[in-house]
Amino acid sequence: MPDGRPLRADAARNRAKILEAANRQIIARGPEVPMEAIAEDAGVAVGTLYRHFPTKDDLVTAVLHAHFESMVAAAEAAADRIEAGAPAIDEFAGFFRFVLELAAGNMAVKAAARALGADWEEDLLRGRGLQALERIVAAGIDRGDLRPDMTLDDCFLFFATAPIDQPAPVRERWFTLMLDGCRADAARRTG
Amino acid sequence: MPDGRPLRADAARNRAKILEAANRQIIARGPEVPMEAIAEDAGVAVGTLYRHFPTKDDLVTAVLHAHFESMVAAAEAAADRIEAGAPAIDEFAGFFRFVLELAAGNMAVKAAARALGADWEEDLLRGRGLQALERIVAAGIDRGDLRPDMTLDDCFLFFATAPIDQPAPVRERWFTLMLDGCRADAARRTG
DNA sequence: CTATATAATGAACCTAGATTCAGGTTATGG
DNA sequence: CCATAACCTGAATCTAGGTTCATTATATAG
């Protein structure tokens, strides 16, 4: 809660414990975990959860924020490396593999991706992340790595369609197919 | 309910109305629609729903069955046409486009695909549908249309990852990328 | 060390939706 | 037309999980 006042020592401690527990629980069991479960994991009463996060949604959002941050950071790092000379296609692949694997072990991110659907671009990616992606795609096309008709929207397909709940080999295979579909020489009329 | 006895006239009528309503509601609003909603749509009391379908799950399953059937039928038709000389890649694409569009306007199928996840192959596809798909893929590879390393599992990726809730243009674009990734000349090392 | 603003607690409250069942209807064989 | 098995109805029951709040505890300024 955005008060001016600083948190009392115990309150700060609990807030941290709650965030940790929420992270643990939500990642493991998805955003539908009961607040009770989070409270128990945190060693705190439900009421305390609500003191720190007025609504369950607030808590979930808080947990997700960190994960989205790391995705954006990864995108920026990839874009930087490309512009520093690294092979565009490798960075492109590397970034999406990172995102894929992050989400794979993370029911929260998974569910969020579903729920937000076409919306999450609004929030986080329509910012730093969006820019970084643009840089990646542009360079990829420029260097003849990615198909010329590749767009930013195609990147969202990567996020939105990853078979996150499938076992690793399946994910890997999907990644191969999808990436091959994005390569420069894959483009053609599908009509 | 699998009794020996035939249904009473009014019971049969209601059963039909329920199925219709359930189909309508579940397709439109997904499997989470309240039983009340279905009952109301059917012009019947909740109790009647339960008389015909002991549990909500039974009802949902019944509704889904028809849709899965149509998918399997489509697969078989495509396989037949291929073996009768039709271009493999076109039939391959056509079949998946059909499934994609079917699911797109169908919250039920969508949710089912998610929920069942890797399981639904067990049920319906591990039967006629599975065989039809095998025929399609085999012919596609044989004729040099599909990448040589294409497998049946790749087909499940088509089901599992389709961006069903995205708008039509997005779905179409995804279809293009994915299909291009499945073509014979797309294969390469991605590792 | 107190006073008191902050916090924590957890039982109680609410809502939603699935499921049940006692009691009233109705199709239909004879 | 009757008897009665099949049916239907819908209020009541149950459960689950989010949210509240009166009560009790505790950090910390002075």
Side-chain angles (χ1 to χ4, degrees), chain B residues 57-80:
Chain B
D57 215 63
D58 291 322
L59 178 53
V60 172
T61 298
V63 166
L64 283 179
H65 195 69
H67 296 298
F68 282 131
E69 259 303 312
S70 74
M71 292 192 216
V72 171
E76 292 181 321
D80 287 345

Side-chain angles (χ1 to χ4, degrees), chain B residues 5 7-8 14 45 47-48 51-52:
Chain B
R5 234 157 325 217
L7 282 180
R8 221 170 70 175
N14 277 338
T48 305
R51 175 165 199 77
H52 291 281

Side-chain angles (χ1 to χ4, degrees), chain B residues 80-153:
Chain B
D80 287 345
R81 280 193 296 274
I82 290 177
E83 286 164 7
I89 190 70
D90 290 348
E91 293 299 329
F92 179 85
F95 167 64
F96 280 108
R97 189 189 300 278
F98 169 78
V99 172
L100 174 58
E101 292 311 311
L102 173 65
N106 192 321
M107 306 283 288
V109 172
K110 183 190 324 183
R114 278 183 193 151
L116 296 175
D119 287 338
W120 71 341
E121 58 176 300
E122 306 291 336
D123 303 353
L124 293 152
L125 295 181
R126 193 188 274 335
R128 291 189 293 131
L130 204 61
Q131 286 179 13
L133 274 179
E134 286 221 43
R135 288 199 282 153
I136 295 175
V137 171
I141 295 175
D142 224 55
R143 301 188 190 174
D145 283 351
L146 296 176
R147 52 196 297 163
D149 62 343
M150 186 88 184
T151 72
L152 252 182
D153 287 335

Side-chain angles (χ1 to χ4, degrees), chain A residues 50-63:
Chain A
Y50 284 91
R51 177 165 197 76
H52 291 280
F53 302 92
T55 169
K56 183 182 185 179
D57 216 62
D58 291 323
L59 179 53
V60 173
T61 298
V63 167

Side-chain angles (χ1 to χ4, degrees), chain A residues 38-108:
Chain A
I38 298 177
E40 185 180 18
D41 183 325
V44 151
V46 245
T48 305
L49 258 61
Y50 284 91
R51 177 165 197 76
H52 291 280
F53 302 92
T55 169
K56 183 182 185 179
D57 216 62
D58 291 323
L59 179 53
V60 173
T61 298
V63 167
L64 283 179
H65 195 69
H67 296 298
F68 282 131
E69 258 303 312
S70 75
M71 291 192 218
V72 171
E76 291 181 320
D80 287 346
R81 280 194 297 273
I82 289 179
E83 286 164 6
I89 189 70
D90 290 348
E91 293 298 330
F92 178 86
F95 167 64
F96 280 109
R97 190 189 299 280
F98 169 78
V99 172
L100 175 58
E101 292 312 310
L102 172 66
N106 193 319
M107 305 283 287

Side-chain angles (χ1 to χ4, degrees), chain A:
Chain A
M1 275 155 242
D3 276 45
R5 236 158 323 220
L7 282 181
R8 223 170 66 175
D10 56 344
R13 207 175 317 129
N14 277 338
R15 191 174 219 291
K17 287 198 296 180
I18 290 173
L19 241 11
E20 285 169 36
N23 202 55
R24 217 173 2 253
Q25 292 291 324
I26 293 181
I27 282 183
R29 305 167 52 184
E32 342 69 45
V33 286
M35 289 295 256
E36 298 275 15
I38 298 177
E40 185 180 18
D41 183 325
V44 151
V46 245
T48 305
L49 258 61
Y50 284 91
R51 177 165 197 76
H52 291 280
F53 302 92
T55 169
K56 183 182 185 179
D57 216 62
D58 291 323
L59 179 53
V60 173
T61 298
V63 167
L64 283 179
H65 195 69
H67 296 298
F68 282 131
E69 258 303 312
S70 75
M71 291 192 218
V72 171
E76 291 181 320
D80 287 346
R81 280 194 297 273
I82 289 179
E83 286 164 6
I89 189 70
D90 290 348
E91 293 298 330
F92 178 86
F95 167 64
F96 280 109
R97 190 189 299 280
F98 169 78
V99 172
L100 175 58
E101 292 312 310
L102 172 66
N106 193 319
M107 305 283 287
V109 172
K110 184 190 322 181
R114 276 181 195 152
L116 296 175
D119 287 337
W120 72 342
E121 58 175 300
E122 306 292 335
D123 303 351
L124 294 150
L125 294 182
R126 195 188 273 332
R128 292 187 295 129
L130 204 62
Q131 287 178 13
L133 274 178
E134 287 221 43
R135 288 198 283 151
I136 296 176
V137 171
I141 295 176
D142 223 56
R143 302 188 189 174
D145 283 352
L146 295 176
R147 53 196 299 164
D149 62 344
M150 186 90 184
T151 71
L152 252 183
D153 287 335
D154 293 342
C155 294
F156 292 122
L157 283 175
F158 248 103
F159 295 134
T161 70
I164 290 169
D165 8 50
Q166 299 299 314
V170 176
R171 295 201 301 272
E172 200 50 43
R173 173 60 174 174
W174 170 83
F175 193 77
T176 299
L177 291 182
M178 199 67 178
L179 185 60
D180 283 348
C182 289
R183 289 176 190 277
D185 46 9
R188 88 200 55 224
R189 232 167 315 291
T190 296

